[in-house]
Amino acid sequence: MKNTFIPVLAGAVVAMTAVSAANAATLDDVKKKGFVQCGVSTGLAGFSNPDDKGEWTGLDVDYCRAVASAIFDDPKAVKFSPLSAKERFTALQSGEVDILSRNTTWTMSRDTQMGLAFVGVTYYDGQGFMIPKSLGVSSAKEIDGASVCVQTGTTTELNLSDYFKANGMTFNPVVLEKLEEVNAAYDAGRCDVYTTDASGLYAIRLTMSKPDDHMVLPEIISKEPLGPAVRQGDDQWFALNKWVYFALLNAEEMGITQANVEEMKTSENPNIKRLLGVDGDFGASVGLSADWAVKVIKGVGNYGEIFARNVGTETPLGIERGQNALWTEGGLQYAPPVR
Amino acid sequence: MAVQNETGDPPAKSRGGSVPSFVYDPVVRGYVFQFLLAAVLVWLAWDIASNTAENLQRANIASGFGFFDDRAGFEIAQSLITYSSDSSYGDAFIVGLLNTLLIAVLGIIFATIIGFLVGIARLAPNWMLRKVATVYVEIFRNIPVLLQLLFWYKAVLSVLPQPRNGIEMPFGANLSNRGMIIPRFIPQDGFAIVVIGFAIAVVAAIVIARWAHARQMATGQQFKTMRVVLALIIGVPVLLYLVTGMPLEVEYPVLTGFNFRGGIALKPEFIALLLGLSIYTAAFIAEIVRAGIKAVSWGQSEAAYALGIRPSLTTRLVVIPQAMRVIIPPLTSQFLNLTKNSSLAVAIGYPDLVSVFSGTVLNQTGQAVEVIIITMAVYLTLSLSTAAFMNWFNSRMRLVER
């Protein structure tokens, strides 16, 4: 007894101090384990959804693949953690995931009180309502007294209260934790109205047993800038993530695509040369190689290609670029220059 | 060790006296090790707490309990107190807590009633009744409770029609997939008299029951306690209600637009949760009741019959009191299980403590550590209080040895 007690105690002491010290740089950890751990949704078509082969696809998924490409030159070096809206922040705060790329709205309290740092806005969205056509309603102003299905732990839940209050209407919330449960409850007729981000509504409508029986109301009641987030306190990882996103936008602006990225290296345009690492080494300061942007674009394409592939007009979701077009084309997507 | 002490000499002397005797004193050693263990535990707890606080600060995550006074900003489907999105997170906590308590108390009552009935049915002389009870127990005891809840929720939702095609029920109630909407009774002036009358009737009933019991003990004369007590408890309030001119207004549910206005809505989530938890726990209680009755030896009943006591009285006065002593301790753990299982409400959207507080509130504030600690403390308190009550009840039912 006496002989084993001291080593056990010593072991416990070491274990506890190890916990205190565990705050190494995220990039080093990621490089050591060989993949990026990415928090995604439990399944939202167009944003993060496993396809029929079990591969994760979507706009949010491709962002994580872009980061993995930048670090490992391999868009597949990502492991995905499906998270409910309720689990997501704790998962990021506790270090369970390296990036949270899960159609998450950027708000002040999340930025300042929850230890999150939002990288950028990968999709400008707004909250809307979906109803069954049989209700014969054409405007969100006519849904006084309705039962509303909503997912717990979202900005949606708060906007909903604000909207009904501002318009002097009442509602019955039906709050469920998992997206699939909300979908099922709405499909079963438990609620009159489904509310979430408009992009989500279009995706969810497709999963209903009869998609044509449902319609999305024209009103958009909030600003929902969706984007990936990382933990605060690791500026290098934050900068890396931010610039991977900017690289996607800059590549589209400069006309660099997955197909032509190799040719573009010979371009005479100094902006393109800097982005692709032909001229200068901008990668080193964020712990990457000089041609990091080439790897990103080779891995997933530019922002426009990602958008078109996952949610664009050619996909079942059929979403127009709208606010998500580049600033040069009247949209809001704008990236600072590489310089 | 034991061999050395067999001589009966103090251990210190046999060691030559160079080491102080208390080093080998088992009592002193016991204290030292206990003290060391306690010190290590305290240090561990302190280290975890300080580590957490430091990490939260470094990650720039807000901490503390100040958020309780902040505006919640979200609505809750079912609330026993006045609550709106303007209320505070503290109010949301109370709403969730009351909803949990409501489901726990009602669940315990229903599970106990169903459990006792099924348990007795399993011992019934009727073959059919016995088999039905057995099938009930075997099915519901052996399926995970979460699955059962999901089943009841889907069942409730898919069987019931839309509100505009709702099923009309007696007394103006209506059943649809928005739940069971029942009329609400609104007390008017003068209703307080009925309530006071009811309270007096209850007190009087207790006094009469005590007196009847004492008289029977002293003289052997019986008194029709049950009838008198029932007449008092039901008769007095009804009489007062009629005399004061029926001071209750009934608010019937009316279908306006999408949903019903007025009345009290028992939501499908609530019905499904109550059904699921009661039916699941009742299967266990049934087995406990059966075991309790079986534990009373047949000789007890035989002896009672030999004294000329009727079978119904034998069951009530001889078998049940002895069976209760076997039943109550395991019953307590079933009550605790039901209370803890009520946290599965989150899966079917019933706004209980876990759903409202460690779901929505946690997410809107981002203060996972505080919220989870409070939630755990609440369940611990609930469970310990239930256990304390059942221990008290058990000690009252215990065999009094003379």
Side-chain angles (χ1 to χ4, degrees):
Chain A
M1 157 73 192
K2 207 176 176 184
N3 290 338
T4 54
F5 183 69
I6 297 301
V8 168
L9 182 68
V13 172
V14 171
M16 291 313 295
T17 29
V19 170
S20 318
N23 191 37
T26 312
L27 181 61
D28 296 341
D29 287 348
V30 167
K31 280 182 174 166
K32 206 182 291 167
K33 64 186 174 187
F35 59 87
V36 177
Q37 192 76 44
C38 175
V40 292
S41 78
T42 51
L44 179 65
F47 289 84
S48 43
N49 204 25
D51 66 10
D52 48 8
K53 293 183 212 71
E55 297 273 328
W56 284 89
T57 60
L59 194 117
D60 288 340
V61 164
D62 280 349
Y63 173 75
C64 285
R65 293 200 190 282
V67 174
S69 305
I71 302 169
F72 302 110
D73 194 13
D74 177 10
K76 294 221 182 305
V78 190
K79 287 198 178 164
F80 294 99
S81 305
L83 301 168
S84 75
K86 187 179 141 182
E87 296 157 349
R88 56 187 165 175
F89 301 125
T90 319
L92 183 66
Q93 288 166 349
S94 65
E96 205 183 303
V97 296
D98 303 314
I99 308 171
L100 180 72
S101 183
R102 192 207 167 281
N103 51 294
T104 299
T105 307
W106 186 350
T107 69
M108 181 162 173
S109 66
R110 288 172 179 178
D111 224 10
T112 56
Q113 292 169 20
M114 295 196 195
L116 312 186
F118 279 87
V119 168
V121 181
T122 51
Y123 189 96
Y124 288 95
D125 209 341
Q127 184 175 340
F129 297 105
M130 177 164 71
I131 52 152
K133 284 179 183 164
S134 59
L135 281 184
V137 167
S138 58
S139 157
K141 301 262 193 261
E142 298 166 29
I143 55 177
D144 190 14
S147 289
V148 183
C149 275
V150 61
Q151 197 181 4
T152 187
T154 53
T155 46
T156 313
E157 214 178 336
L158 305 179
N159 295 334
L160 178 67
S161 291
D162 290 352
Y163 179 77
F164 275 81
K165 195 166 185 276
N167 288 290
M169 305 192 294
T170 59
F171 71 103
N172 280 308
V174 178
V175 183
L176 290 152
E177 192 190 337
K178 296 231 158 50
L179 188 67
E180 307 88 87
E181 291 164 0
V182 191
N183 296 353
Y186 174 75
D187 210 10
R190 172 65 185 91
C191 336
D192 308 300
V193 181
Y194 192 133
T195 185
T196 186
D197 299 341
S199 60
L201 289 178
Y202 287 104
I204 290 157
R205 195 174 76 97
L206 297 177
T207 67
M208 294 290 124
S209 47
K210 287 179 191 152
D212 292 337
D213 289 358
H214 304 276
M215 60 181 270
V216 176
L217 293 175
E219 283 89 348
I220 294 292
I221 65 166
S222 69
K223 287 194 286 190
E224 306 287 333
L226 309 181
V230 295
R231 269 183 302 284
Q232 282 181 13
D234 187 346
D235 291 346
Q236 184 197 33
W237 184 243
F238 178 50
L240 185 156
N241 275 276
K242 208 159 45 177
W243 282 95
V244 165
Y245 164 60
F246 291 152
L248 295 172
L249 291 180
N250 282 326
E252 190 190 3
E253 193 180 327
M254 298 172 191
I256 309 171
T257 64
Q258 206 166 7
N260 72 6
V261 59
E262 285 296 335
E263 302 161 31
M264 281 293 192
K265 276 185 182 170
T266 59
S267 163
E268 288 304 311
N269 183 335
N271 288 321
I272 295 178
K273 280 167 101 171
R274 274 195 301 272
L275 176 64
L276 298 183
V278 180
D279 183 8
D281 183 356
F282 291 92
S285 52
V286 284
L288 298 173
S289 63
D291 63 341
W292 61 282
V294 177
K295 294 175 180 171
V296 168
I297 298 158
K298 244 194 239 170
V300 295
N302 65 36
Y303 179 78
E305 289 177 284
I306 294 175
F307 192 97
R309 180 164 69 228
N310 295 304
V311 296
T313 44
E314 300 295 306
T315 64
L317 285 171
I319 300 175
E320 301 280 344
R321 280 296 286 270
Q323 293 170 317
N324 291 295
L326 289 182
W327 63 288
T328 48
E329 285 155 34
L332 296 169
Q333 293 291 2
Y334 180 100
V338 176
R339 192 171 273 283
Chain B
M1 282 268 238
V3 180
Q4 292 172 351
N5 289 343
E6 260 178 37
T7 56
D9 292 337
K13 277 183 188 167
S14 66
R15 296 258 173 174
S18 60
V19 183
S21 64
F22 63 81
V23 173
Y24 297 105
D25 187 339
V27 178
V28 174
R29 281 184 159 202
Y31 278 119
V32 168
F33 279 114
Q34 289 190 48
F35 174 76
L36 278 179
L37 182 66
V40 168
L41 284 177
V42 167
W43 174 75
L44 260 177
W46 180 83
D47 196 56
I48 290 173
S50 63
N51 223 328
T52 311
E54 193 182 317
N55 281 336
L56 287 178
Q57 201 164 16
R58 185 164 47 212
N60 206 358
I61 298 170
S63 57
F65 295 95
F67 68 88
F68 260 79
D69 296 327
D70 296 346
R71 179 178 181 271
F74 58 90
E75 295 284 341
I76 302 176
Q78 177 188 318
S79 170
L80 296 177
I81 59 170
T82 317
Y83 175 89
S84 77
S85 57
D86 286 331
S87 304
S88 66
Y89 285 126
D91 294 329
F93 167 76
I94 294 170
V95 170
L97 177 62
L98 289 178
N99 283 344
T100 289
L101 283 176
L102 178 72
I103 208 78
V105 169
L106 289 180
I108 285 174
I109 293 171
F110 281 110
T112 312
I113 294 171
I114 304 171
F116 267 81
L117 292 179
V118 175
I120 292 166
R122 283 207 71 178
L123 297 168
N126 184 321
W127 183 87
M128 193 64 209
L129 191 60
R130 221 164 50 223
K131 289 297 159 195
V132 168
T134 307
V135 168
Y136 169 88
V137 169
E138 292 306 336
I139 287 181
F140 289 107
R141 200 171 52 153
N142 293 307
I143 298 175
V145 63
L146 179 60
L147 277 180
Q148 293 193 34
L149 290 181
L150 292 175
F151 169 80
W152 288 115
Y153 189 47
K154 305 276 179 230
V156 166
L157 281 193
S158 56
V159 168
L160 296 175
Q162 290 287 327
R164 58 182 75 174
N165 308 321
I167 306 162
E168 296 283 335
M169 304 286 281
F171 309 111
N174 195 298
L175 189 63
S176 71
N177 67 6
R178 296 298 140 79
M180 176 86 159
I181 323 282
I182 55 175
R184 186 210 303 263
F185 293 96
I186 303 166
Q188 305 290 312
D189 293 342
F191 191 70
I193 297 171
V194 180
V195 176
I196 294 167
F198 176 72
I200 293 172
V202 169
V203 173
I206 294 171
V207 172
I208 289 173
R210 288 239 170 119
W211 166 81
H213 186 74
R215 194 183 70 155
Q216 190 181 347
M217 284 294 144
T219 66
Q221 278 177 297
Q222 290 192 350
F223 184 72
K224 305 280 187 203
T225 317
M226 205 61 200
R227 289 179 206 177
V228 176
V229 164
L230 272 181
L232 262 177
I233 291 178
I234 297 172
V236 171
V238 170
L239 205 69
L240 281 174
Y241 178 65
L242 293 175
V243 168
T244 50
M246 299 196 273
L248 263 190
E249 191 180 294
V250 187
E251 181 192 76
Y252 289 102
V254 183
L255 186 66
T256 49
F258 302 111
N259 284 318
F260 286 95
R261 286 284 159 87
I264 301 171
L266 305 175
K267 301 259 158 73
E269 291 82 19
F270 173 78
I271 298 173
L273 185 65
L274 188 58
L275 265 179
L277 286 180
S278 312
I279 288 176
Y280 174 76
T281 313
F284 289 90
I285 294 181
E287 286 299 89
I288 291 167
V289 169
R290 186 172 72 111
I293 294 174
K294 284 271 204 184
V296 181
S297 104
W298 173 239
Q300 297 281 330
S301 304
E302 270 184 336
Y305 296 152
L307 288 172
I309 302 175
R310 277 179 279 121
S312 62
L313 275 182
T314 303
T315 309
R316 216 180 79 206
L317 298 177
V318 177
V319 178
I320 296 285
Q322 296 187 75
M324 284 309 277
R325 290 176 191 123
V326 182
I327 291 171
I328 290 171
L331 200 59
T332 310
S333 50
Q334 289 307 324
F335 290 174
L336 297 184
N337 279 347
L338 190 140
T339 310
K340 288 180 284 181
N341 284 341
S342 73
S343 61
L344 293 169
V346 67
I348 58 171
Y350 174 75
D352 78 327
L353 184 69
V354 173
S355 169
V356 171
F357 193 63
S358 70
T360 305
V361 173
L362 187 157
N363 242 274
Q364 305 301 358
T365 62
Q367 296 187 257
V369 176
E370 291 87 347
V371 168
I372 294 293
I373 287 177
I374 293 171
T375 314
M376 290 198 299
V378 166
Y379 277 98
L380 190 64
T381 313
L382 287 184
S383 294
L384 291 181
S385 329
T386 314
F389 172 79
M390 290 304 284
N391 284 343
W392 168 83
F393 187 58
N394 192 29
S395 66
R396 277 192 53 111
M397 296 298 288
R398 212 173 44 213
L399 190 64
V400 183
E401 290 172 350
R402 295 195 177 96

